[in-house]
């Protein structure tokens, strides 16, 4: 498949965009090949899932155990990114095994490779940001601190906005199957929480707080993800166990109607057509005769005239 120029970012980036790292992150980490959301309600569920996933990935104990530690926050993010680097392909591979009877991997080769590129790109950005932070902390030269510090701040904003984007689309796996992002969110959140429970590492919290904070996020992510997949199944017939090639094409997003459209009028942008047929019906109760090929303007047949005299005689 030949790629056109700007096909990844949709041609939206310019030289001036480099001054706004959030715009660059929006274009890079939510590429043009990712399909649009089908339903505003599903999009709202994704936002809640992103918030719960962030809690599961970074851990609220970062903010309450010994205060906020930016370096520890980045180390946690790097650990989560490495886990995603191995966990996401394994989960997608398991689903490819489930889909084997409905289609082939070759049919999904392009979106699979694009999702893998997005995953590697994000992990690389987190690693680069961690290196920049360690360089600034370990350097004593003012010029190096200023130069690297400016780059570090740009990368920090870029990576933070990118993390929000990839948490919503989960590395563009919706281009493979729309049920993959919520599935991957569930698997990731649980596999990050289970080791702490098994080892008993509550990060200095009490038993009750540790269980609440460790299990709260994955349970919330699971509930939201199941609700999201349920809506996709009920409203659009998208089942997780079905190979994407066997699913019917999903309808595009429906534009909202204008609130100022009067009753009986079409939505904005559509021509008005008057009601078809005679709006008054047949007031005289005279049966209509088929015109056939005759004169369409001929008068309707009148009822026969009663020749009786009104006065008798």
């Amino acid at each position: 498949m030949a790629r056109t120029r700007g096909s990844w970012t949709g041609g939206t980036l310019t030289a001036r965009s480099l001054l706004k790292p959030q715009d660059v992150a929006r274009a890079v980490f939510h590429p043009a090949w990712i399909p649009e959301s089908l339903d505003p309600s599903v999009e709202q569920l994704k936002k809640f899932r992103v918030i719960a996933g962030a809690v599961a990935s970074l851990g609220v104990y970062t903010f309450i155990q010994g205060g906020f530690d930016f370096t520890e926050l980045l180390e946690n993010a790097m650990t989560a990114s490495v886990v995603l680097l191995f966990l996401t392909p394994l989960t997608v591979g398991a689903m490819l095994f489930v889909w084997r009877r409905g289609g082939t991997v070759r049919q999904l080769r392009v979106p699979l490779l694009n999702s893998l590129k997005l995953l590697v790109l994000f992990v690389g950005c987190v690693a680069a940001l961690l290196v920049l932070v360690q360089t600034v902390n370990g350097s004593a030269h003012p010029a190096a601190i200023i130069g690297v510090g400016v780059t570090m701040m740009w990368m920090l904003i870029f990576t933070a906005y990118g993390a929000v984007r990839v948490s919503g689309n989960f590395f563009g796996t919706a281009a493979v199957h729309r049920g993959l992002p919520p599935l991957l969110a569930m698997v990731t959140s649980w596999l990050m929480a289970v080791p702490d429970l098994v080892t008993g590492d509550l990060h200095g919290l009490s038993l009750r707080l540790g269980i609440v904070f460790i299990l709260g996020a994955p349970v919330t992510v699971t509930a939201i993800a199941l609700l999201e997949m349920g809506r996709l199944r009920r409203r659009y017939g998208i089942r997780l166990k079905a190979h994407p090639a066997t699913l019917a094409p999903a309808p595009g997003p429906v534009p909202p109607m204008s609130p100022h459209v009067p009753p009986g009028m079409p939505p904005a942008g559509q021509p008005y057509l008057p009601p078809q047929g005679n709006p008054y019906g047949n007031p005289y109760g005279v049966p209509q005769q088929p015109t056939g090929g005759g004169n369409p303007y001929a008068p309707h047949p009148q009822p026969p005239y009663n020749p009786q005299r009104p006065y008798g005689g």
Side-chain angles (χ1 to χ4, degrees), residues 136-289:
V136 171
N137 293 337
S139 178
H141 198 282
I145 294 177
I146 295 176
V148 178
V150 172
T151 305
M152 182 195 70
M153 292 304 300
W154 192 96
M155 281 294 299
L156 176 62
I157 300 174
F158 174 73
T159 307
Y161 273 86
V164 174
R165 291 292 174 177
V166 297
S167 297
N169 57 53
F170 225 98
F171 308 104
T173 49
V176 182
H177 192 294
R178 289 186 182 270
L180 277 179
L183 172 66
L184 289 168
M186 285 192 298
V187 173
T188 302
S189 60
W190 277 106
L191 287 184
M192 288 184 177
V194 167
D196 291 338
L197 292 176
V198 173
T199 59
D201 184 9
L202 302 180
H203 306 281
L205 300 174
S206 64
L207 178 62
R208 181 176 300 177
L209 283 178
I211 293 178
V212 169
F213 282 124
I214 291 176
L215 289 183
V219 168
T220 305
V221 170
T222 300
I224 296 174
L226 290 176
L227 182 59
E228 183 179 343
M229 289 191 291
R231 290 189 179 182
L232 290 174
R233 182 180 64 256
R234 291 190 305 269
R235 298 183 180 183
Y236 305 101
I238 299 176
R239 298 181 178 276
L240 181 62
K241 294 183 179 180
H243 190 282
T246 63
L247 298 174
V254 179
M257 293 182 60
S258 173
H260 304 293
V261 176
M265 297 294 289
Q270 297 184 8
Y272 172 74
L273 295 177
Q276 303 299 305
N278 184 4
Y280 304 103
N282 190 356
Y284 301 105
V286 180
Q288 300 293 327
Q289 301 293 331

Side-chain angles (χ1 to χ4, degrees), residues 78-100:
M78 189 66 221
T79 302
S81 300
V82 173
V83 171
L84 289 174
L85 185 60
F86 292 96
L87 184 60
T88 302
L90 288 176
T91 306
V92 174
M95 291 309 304
L96 291 174
F97 180 78
V98 173
W99 297 335
R100 68 190 187 282

